[in-house]
Amino acid sequence: MRRLVLDKPWAIIVAAALVAFGYWALQTRQQDHTVRAAFSSAVSVVPGLDVQIDGVDVGKVQKVQYQDGQALVDLGISDPDAWPLPRGTKAEIRFGTTIGNGTRNVALTPGPTNAPPIPEDGIITRADTTTPVEFDEVFNTLSAKTRSRLRAAMQGAEESTKNREDEIKAALRHAPGALDATNDVLADLLADGTALKALIRNGDRVTETLGQRQEIVSNLVSAASGTFDAFGRRTNRITQSLDRFAPMLKDVDGTLARANGSLDKVDTLMQTIRPGAQELPSLAKTAGPALVRLQDVAPTAVTTLKTVRNTAPRLSTLLDTATPFMKPTSEALSGLAPVVRCIRNYTPEIAAWTQTWGGFTKNYDNTSHYVRIKLKEGITSANGLVPPAEFLKNIPGTDNRYAMPRPPGLNAGSPWFDSECGVTKDALDPSKDPEKR
């Protein structure tokens, strides 16, 4: 035996590998019960992968096949405590590790305990399954045209901030105080919800009107910028004027006291205007609601003016610092608008991708959150058990095996297209791949 091992070691190694592979194949196929789950796709899902409930292995994946535009995955259940599965059970394909794109597992979430059981070879429909968002879907979100626009927007932002480090630092130093002042102003406005709603509705109409007169508004903003700049330079003088206003009110009070002797003449005047005063009730009916609203808003307006007065120096400094950025910022935001519009189309895919990764660390114990990782060795889909081409070829009867760029809604079987973002029906035709051209 020793001579056989020394003379033919590779034969012993091959025999051991065959025994291990046979044991693995036997374990992946000998399951007590089977249930099928329908997914929109099953990338890197192969027989032998784990089936888990609450992170505990309860079976193995037995078979994967594509039928009627969806992936049917046979799940073998060997744990007697996990069978039968109640109706309403949900299935989710998860990444095995954070860097193991080729290693997956299927996580089951049992339905209500009082629900009827799923029969042998029953199906968990796509309504109760979750297919993860793949990396290539994220990378292909932006078409070549969108990437070009994004690059232009980023270059515009770079030009807007180049050689302006000192100005940006100054703006950041004054930003906390300005934000606090803005918070005080908004708090005063929120004190009266009804008035604020009316203000928002009127503001919406004003904004729509201003949008139709963009050129005029642009000139007005430039003039207002100069006005605020001059106002900021004279803040101290304005404060001194307000301080002198109080003594002036005392002088007015003395003047009114001296006017008391003239009331007889005023009485004569009132008799003269009496006929006109009789018509005032009809006017009061119209002016009454406006006066009531003014009475409600007046305290809030006074408080707001006091807040504006106290924060005028900081707002002036902020406006002085922000004025040079207005034109470059407007150009950068104008270039960014088409990019944001195209990204918005993929909001469901981005949210699903975030949810997939967020669920990776959702488990926790009495101490903190933890990640459950299972290391594997041997043949996997990453080193050739299932050729990558099998996942890329267009299988008859399906409509979602190829897309470049990938249109929104393709995972759900309802793709829609946006020609302005470069996503048309040509994206589903391999012969019209934009990257090849």
Side-chain angles (χ1 to χ4, degrees):
M1 178 61 68
R2 183 185 307 169
R3 181 177 300 174
L4 178 62
V5 173
L6 294 177
D7 293 342
K8 299 180 179 180
W10 290 109
I12 303 300
I13 294 175
V14 171
L18 290 176
V19 171
F21 177 78
Y23 176 77
W24 171 81
L26 185 63
Q27 289 297 318
T28 59
R29 287 161 175 78
Q30 290 183 350
Q31 306 295 325
D32 296 335
H33 305 282
T34 302
V35 65
R36 311 177 82 183
F39 297 92
S40 60
S41 63
V43 178
S44 297
V45 177
V46 296
L49 295 181
D50 293 333
V51 178
Q52 300 179 346
I53 295 180
D54 294 333
V56 179
D57 294 346
V58 296
K60 301 288 183 181
V61 174
Q62 293 181 330
K63 183 173 62 174
V64 180
Q65 59 181 338
Y66 291 92
Q67 181 178 342
D68 298 331
Q70 61 184 359
L72 297 179
V73 181
D74 290 2
L75 308 177
I77 307 299
S78 58
D79 189 341
D81 295 334
W83 187 265
L85 296 172
R87 293 190 182 275
T89 296
K90 299 184 181 299
E92 179 181 358
I93 298 176
R94 294 182 177 177
F95 294 99
T97 64
T98 54
I99 61 174
N101 185 44
T103 304
R104 311 293 172 94
N105 61 61
V106 180
L108 298 178
T109 303
T113 56
N114 58 352
I118 299 176
E120 187 76 27
D121 293 329
I123 295 181
I124 301 175
T125 63
R126 288 177 60 180
D128 292 326
T129 62
T130 302
T131 303
V133 178
E134 301 298 332
F135 290 105
D136 59 341
E137 298 176 20
V138 178
F139 296 149
N140 293 333
T141 298
L142 302 179
S143 63
K145 184 177 180 181
T146 305
R147 290 196 298 270
S148 177
R149 291 179 176 177
L150 178 60
R151 188 181 302 109
M154 296 181 67
Q155 291 174 351
E158 179 185 6
E159 292 296 330
S160 300
T161 58
K162 180 185 289 186
N163 299 326
R164 294 185 176 178
E165 294 81 359
D166 296 337
E167 297 175 359
I168 294 175
K169 290 179 181 178
L172 292 177
R173 282 196 300 268
H174 295 290
L179 291 177
D180 291 339
T182 304
N183 179 65
D184 295 338
V185 174
L186 292 178
D188 294 337
L189 292 176
L190 292 175
D192 191 339
T194 303
L196 180 61
K197 291 179 181 178
L199 177 63
I200 292 175
R201 287 194 295 267
N202 294 332
D204 178 64
R205 290 194 290 268
V206 171
T207 303
E208 182 179 0
T209 303
L210 293 177
Q212 297 173 355
R213 296 168 174 81
Q214 184 175 1
E215 184 177 357
I216 299 176
V217 172
S218 177
N219 296 333
L220 178 61
V221 170
S222 299
S225 175
T227 302
F228 281 120
D229 182 64
F231 180 81
R233 290 195 297 269
R234 294 171 176 79
T235 300
N236 293 331
R237 297 180 183 178
I238 294 174
T239 303
Q240 294 173 0
S241 298
L242 293 176
D243 291 337
R244 290 194 295 269
F245 186 69
M248 185 188 70
L249 292 179
K250 293 182 179 179
D251 296 338
V252 172
D253 182 65
T255 301
L256 292 177
R258 290 190 295 271
N260 188 39
S262 304
L263 291 179
D264 293 338
K265 297 180 179 180
V266 174
D267 183 63
T268 303
L269 176 62
M270 296 300 295
Q271 293 294 331
T272 304
I273 65 174
R274 180 178 179 181
Q278 294 177 351
E279 301 296 330
L280 291 178
S282 59
L283 176 62
K285 293 181 181 180
T286 304
L291 294 176
V292 172
R293 179 58 57 85
L294 179 61
Q295 182 180 5
D296 295 337
V297 177
T300 303
V302 172
T303 304
T304 302
L305 290 175
K306 291 180 179 179
T307 304
V308 171
R309 175 187 173 185
N310 295 332
T311 58
R314 289 177 288 181
L315 290 175
S316 176
T317 303
L318 176 63
L319 291 173
D320 290 341
T321 306
T323 298
F325 293 97
M326 289 185 178
K327 184 176 180 180
T329 302
S330 176
E331 296 175 355
L333 292 178
S334 299
L336 186 62
V339 178
V340 175
R341 176 186 175 280
C342 294
I343 294 177
R344 183 184 61 185
N345 297 339
Y346 292 89
T347 300
E349 282 79 358
I350 296 174
W353 180 79
T354 305
Q355 180 182 9
T356 299
W357 280 90
F360 179 67
T361 57
K362 72 176 184 179
N363 298 318
Y364 61 92
D365 54 19
N366 294 331
T367 303
S368 63
H369 288 267
Y370 68 90
V371 176
R372 191 179 184 90
I373 300 175
K374 183 173 183 179
L375 300 179
K376 288 181 173 289
E377 296 182 358
I379 300 177
T380 66
S381 60
N383 58 13
L385 181 59
V386 178
E390 292 296 325
F391 300 110
L392 300 176
K393 67 182 182 180
N394 190 10
I395 300 176
T398 65
D399 59 354
N400 61 346
R401 304 309 306 156
Y402 172 87
M404 177 62 72
R406 196 173 184 86
L410 187 62
N411 278 356
S414 301
W416 59 285
F417 308 97
D418 190 339
S419 59
E420 295 185 5
C421 295
V423 181
T424 64
K425 291 185 178 181
D426 292 343
L428 304 179
D429 189 348
S431 64
K432 299 179 179 179
D433 192 322
E435 300 298 337
K436 292 182 178 181
R437 296 199 299 270

